[in-house]
Amino acid sequence: AASQAQVGECLALGVEAILLDNMDIDMMKAATEAIAGRALIEASGGMTLDIVRDVAETGVDFISVGALTHSVKSMDIALELKLL
């Protein structure tokens, strides 16, 4: 859900989980208060180490960090096994 109205729609439908995507901290706090434990809450969109604590303190259940996959630097590692 990207807006408070969408959060309300999700709650009215009785969904089990709600994704708060690209919300600022104040919007997440308001959404979390409105959801009030009636659904699991995942925060996503623009997560950085600078804001992850603030996001966690809003009361969400999960935080998705896309940078773990789309901004990762790869490393070539070889594994060699020698059977005795």
Side-chain angles (χ1 to χ4, degrees):
S3 71
Q4 297 303 332
Q6 289 172 321
V7 168
E9 289 177 40
C10 290
L11 292 172
L13 292 170
V15 300
E16 295 179 12
I18 298 174
L19 174 68
L20 305 180
D21 192 27
N22 292 307
M23 285 187 168
D24 64 30
I25 298 298
D26 290 335
M27 289 178 70
M28 277 188 232
K29 283 180 187 174
T32 302
E33 289 172 7
I35 295 166
R38 293 179 282 173
L40 293 173
I41 307 167
E42 179 178 352
S44 182
M47 294 301 143
T48 65
L49 290 176
D50 293 333
I51 66 165
V52 74
R53 178 181 294 276
D54 292 335
V55 172
E57 289 174 349
T58 67
V60 300
D61 299 295
F62 308 101
I63 300 173
S64 295
V65 182
L68 292 173
T69 55
H70 66 69
S71 299
V72 69
K73 294 180 181 175
S74 63
M75 178 184 292
D76 187 9
I77 300 175
L79 177 63
E80 296 180 26
L81 298 175
K82 182 178 181 180
L83 299 176
L84 300 176

